[in-house]
C-alpha cells in the first residue's frame, strides 16, 4: 500500500499515544484527560490555533497550509470517548479504569487524527486550512450535536467535513463507503403503563400491567412488519421491561424502553406516529393507560454524493481495496450532525478479523494506523492542492 513514508516513520509514536489513551478510558463528556493530551500534542506539533471546551470538552486544532489563497477549510473529525464495559483481556495497555474501556476504537481514531495533525503541521503542503476536530460523547451523548450547536462550523469557517471509523470484519486496509444514507437514525423510546395493581391470586380485580406490556411488545413488531414498506428498512427493539418487585403482587405500573432505527425521515415519522397509536390503543383494550415518550437522537448519517466519490478517490491513493457500495447498517453515529451542517463523507477502514465493536475483548488494530493517517493526509492535500 502506498503509505506516506514520513507517517510510517512515526507509527510507533502514534501507537504509544493510542495505547496510553486505551489504558485511560473516559466516558461521554468526561474526557478531560484525553482532551488535555490532545491539546498538549497539538501544541507540541505547532498547530496555528488550539481551541478547547468546544461542545463542553471537545478540542479543535487549526493548521494553515503554506498557502491560503483558496480560502477553503476542511474539517477532519475523530471521537474520543469510551464505553461502560469491563475489559476482560489481559494486555499491557489494558484499561486501568474498572468498568470502562475503549471497545469501539475511539482511542485509535483519536491517535490517527493526532498523527495526521503532526504530519500536516510539519509539511503544510496544501493551500487552505485543515481543521482537526476531537469530539467527546459520541456514544449516546450527542457530542457532535453539541459542537455544531456551539457554532463550530462557522467559527472555524469549515467548508467540508469528513469522518472515519475502524471496521472489524472488513479486510485490513480496505476502505468502504457509499453515497447517501449509510447509517441509521438512532432514536430511543420510553413506554409507561399504568393499570391497577393487586394480589396475584386475584387477577380478576386488577389491570395487569405485565400482560399489557407483553401485548405492546408484540404489537410493536407489526409496525415494521405491516406498516413500513418492505423495500424500506426499520428496527423497533424493546430492550428493557421493568415491572414489580414481589412474586405475589401484580404491579400498578410497568415501563418498557428501547430503540428505533430508520434510514429515511419519512419512515422515522411513520414509526413514531404508529408506535404511539399502538401503545395507547393496546393499553386501552385492557383498560390500562400507556404513554410513549419518543426521543429523537442521532439523525440518519447521509454522505454527500460528490464528497463520497471524492473520499473514495482519496482512499484509492492509499489502498487498492476500496468498496464504493458498502451495505447500509442500522447502527447510529453522531457524525451525522456534522454532515447535516456541512457537505462531507464518512468512511470505514477495515481492521481485519478482530473481535467486533462494543465487545469486552475488542482492541483497535495498530497495524492500520499508518493507513488511516495517510488517508487523512492525502485527503487534505488532494482537496486543497498546493499552488
Amino acid at each position: 500500500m502506498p503509505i506516506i513514508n514520513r507517517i510510517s516513520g512515526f507509527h510507533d509514536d502514534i501507537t504509544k499515544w493510542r495505547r496510553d489513551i486505551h489504558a485511560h478510558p473516559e466516558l461521554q463528556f468526561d474526557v478531560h484527560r484525553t482532551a488535555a493530551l490532545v491539546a498538549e500534542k497539538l501544541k507540541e506539533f505547532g498547530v496555528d490555533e488550539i481551541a478547547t471546551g468546544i461542545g463542553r470538552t471537545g478540542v479543535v486544532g487549526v493548521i494553515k497550509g503554506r498557502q491560503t489563497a483558496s480560502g477553503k477549510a476542511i474539517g477532519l473529525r475523530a471521537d474520543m470517548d469510551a464505553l461502560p464495559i469491563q475489559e476482560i483481556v489481559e494486555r499491557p495497555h489494558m484499561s486501568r479504569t474498572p468498568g470502562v474501556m475503549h471497545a469501539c476504537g475511539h482511542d485509535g481514531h483519536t491517535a490517527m487524527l493526532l498523527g495526521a495533525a503532526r504530519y500536516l503541521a510539519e509539511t503544510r503542503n496544501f493551500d487552505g486550512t485543515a481543521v482537526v476536530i476531537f469530539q467527546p460523547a459520541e456514544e449516546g451523548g450527542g457530542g457532535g450535536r453539541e459542537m455544531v450547536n456551539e457554532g463550530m462550523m462557522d467559527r472555524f469557517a469549515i467548508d467540508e467535513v469528513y469522518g472515519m471509523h475502524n471496521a472489524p470484519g472488513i479486510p485490513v486496509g480496505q476502505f468502504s463507503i457509499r453515497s447517501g444514507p449509510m447509517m441509521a437514525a438512532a432514536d430511543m423510546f420510553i413506554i409507561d403503563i399504568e393499570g391497577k395493581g393487586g394480589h396475584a391470586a386475584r387477577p380478576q380485580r386488577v389491570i395487569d400491567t405485565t400482560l399489557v406490556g407483553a401485548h405492546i411488545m408484540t404489537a410493536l413488531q407489526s409496525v415494521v412488519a405491516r406498516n413500513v414498506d418492505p423495500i424500506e428498512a426499520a428496527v423497533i427493539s424493546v430492550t428493557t421491561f421493568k415491572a414489580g418487585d414481589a412474586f405475589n403482587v401484580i404491579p400498578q405500573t410497568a415501563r418498557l424502553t428501547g430503540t428505533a432505527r430508520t434510514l429515511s425521515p419519512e419512515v422515522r415519522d411513520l414509526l413514531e406516529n404508529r408506535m404511539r397509536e399502538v401503545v395507547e390503543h393496546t393499553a386501552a383494550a385492557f383498560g390500562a393507560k400507556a404513554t410513549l415518550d419518543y426521543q429523537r437522537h442521532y439523525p440518519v448519517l447521509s454522505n454527500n454524493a460528490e464528497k463520497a466519490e471524492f473520499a473514495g478517490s482519496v482512499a484509492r491513493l492509499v489502498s487498492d481495496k476500496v468498496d464504493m457500495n458498502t451495505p447500509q447498517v442500522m447502527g447510529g453515529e453522531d457524525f451525522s450532525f456534522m454532515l447535516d451542517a456541512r457537505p462531507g463523507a464518512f468512511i470505514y477502514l477495515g481492521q481485519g478479523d478482530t473481535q467486533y465493536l462494543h465487545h469486552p475483548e475488542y482492541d483497535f488494530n495498530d497495524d492500520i494506523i499508518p493507513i488511516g493517517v495517510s488517508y487523512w493526509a492525502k485527503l487534505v492535500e488532494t482537496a486543497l492542492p498546493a499552488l
Side-chain angles (χ1 to χ4, degrees):
M1 295 181 184
I3 303 303
I4 296 172
N5 289 336
R6 179 66 187 116
I7 289 170
S8 294
F10 53 80
H11 183 184
D12 288 347
D13 291 342
I14 305 173
T15 300
K16 289 177 184 176
W17 307 337
R18 200 284 294 182
R19 294 184 178 184
D20 177 71
I21 295 168
H22 187 96
H24 300 91
E26 298 171 297
L27 296 174
Q28 297 263 329
F29 290 99
D30 293 326
V31 291
H32 302 288
R33 182 187 186 279
T34 308
L37 172 66
V38 166
E40 176 188 341
K41 290 297 179 185
L42 293 178
K43 182 178 180 181
E44 178 184 317
F45 303 155
V47 306
D48 298 286
E49 180 184 350
I50 303 168
T52 59
I54 309 295
R56 302 193 210 178
T57 47
V59 181
V60 174
V62 177
I63 307 165
K64 295 186 180 298
R66 290 179 183 174
Q67 300 95 28
T68 56
S70 73
K72 191 175 179 181
I74 301 293
L76 313 177
R77 172 269 203 178
D79 36 18
M80 298 187 288
D81 58 322
L83 284 157
I85 297 174
Q86 178 65 45
E87 189 164 10
I88 62 174
V89 176
E90 295 283 345
R91 46 176 69 102
H93 55 280
M94 183 180 184
S95 171
R96 299 178 188 175
T97 306
V100 183
M101 72 169 288
H102 272 289
C104 201
H106 297 186
D107 51 342
H109 302 166
T110 298
M112 288 193 295
L113 189 54
L114 280 174
R118 175 174 171 178
Y119 171 83
L120 292 169
E122 283 183 5
T123 60
R124 299 184 184 262
N125 188 32
F126 55 95
D127 175 19
T129 303
V131 182
V132 288
I133 303 164
F134 297 88
Q135 179 208 304
E138 190 282 323
E139 298 290 357
R145 174 180 52 215
E146 294 292 317
M147 297 186 89
V148 170
N149 286 347
E150 282 193 20
M152 176 184 70
M153 297 298 184
D154 290 333
R155 174 176 173 180
F156 299 100
I158 296 170
D159 297 294
E160 302 171 13
V161 66
Y162 296 88
M164 176 167 51
H165 205 293
N166 76 97
I170 295 177
V172 168
Q174 175 176 311
F175 288 93
S176 296
I177 195 170
R178 70 181 294 126
S179 65
M182 188 162 110
M183 300 183 71
D187 298 334
M188 296 168 56
F189 60 83
I190 302 170
I191 299 168
D192 284 309
I193 305 166
E194 183 167 4
K196 182 180 178 183
H199 200 294
R202 295 182 175 181
Q204 74 277 13
R205 296 191 176 185
V206 307
I207 298 174
D208 187 349
T209 54
T210 62
L211 179 64
V212 175
H215 277 270
I216 287 175
M217 282 183 64
T218 303
L220 284 175
Q221 298 311 311
S222 72
V223 176
V224 174
R226 289 295 177 265
N227 297 126
V228 176
D229 187 325
I231 297 173
E232 300 283 355
V235 173
I236 298 174
S237 292
V238 176
T239 55
T240 72
F241 189 155
K242 298 179 181 178
D245 298 297
F247 74 93
N248 60 349
V249 177
I250 293 175
Q252 176 85 8
T253 62
R255 169 171 282 191
L256 283 64
T257 69
T259 186
R261 306 296 174 102
T262 54
L263 285 167
S264 75
E266 295 77 16
V267 175
R268 196 182 198 185
D269 290 342
L270 172 66
L271 251 62
E272 180 176 359
N273 293 334
R274 282 295 294 141
M275 285 177 67
R276 180 165 284 105
E277 292 173 350
V278 167
V279 166
E280 293 176 354
H281 294 159
T282 301
F286 290 90
K289 294 181 180 179
T291 59
L292 171 70
D293 177 12
Y294 191 99
Q295 302 172 7
R296 297 195 176 202
H297 283 261
Y298 297 174
V300 174
L301 185 147
S302 188
N303 284 333
N304 176 279
E306 178 186 344
K307 305 310 175 187
E309 185 63 38
F310 170 71
S313 70
V314 171
R316 291 188 194 96
L317 299 175
V318 179
S319 172
D320 57 2
K321 297 178 290 185
V322 180
D323 178 5
M324 293 299 297
N325 194 33
T326 193
Q328 295 171 318
V329 298
M330 302 308 285
E333 162 62 64
D334 83 339
F335 184 63
S336 53
F337 290 107
M338 297 191 190
L339 288 179
D340 281 355
R342 291 293 187 275
F346 191 72
I347 198 167
Y348 301 135
L349 172 57
Q351 80 154 23
D353 187 20
T354 66
Q355 192 55 260
Y356 202 69
L357 306 174
H358 294 210
H359 191 281
E361 295 179 0
Y362 170 88
D363 193 19
F364 184 85
N365 184 352
D366 291 322
D367 290 342
I368 69 172
I369 284 175
I371 305 169
V373 178
S374 293
Y375 168 78
W376 282 139
K378 290 289 188 183
L379 191 147
V380 171
E381 292 174 347
T382 306
L384 306 172
L387 298 177

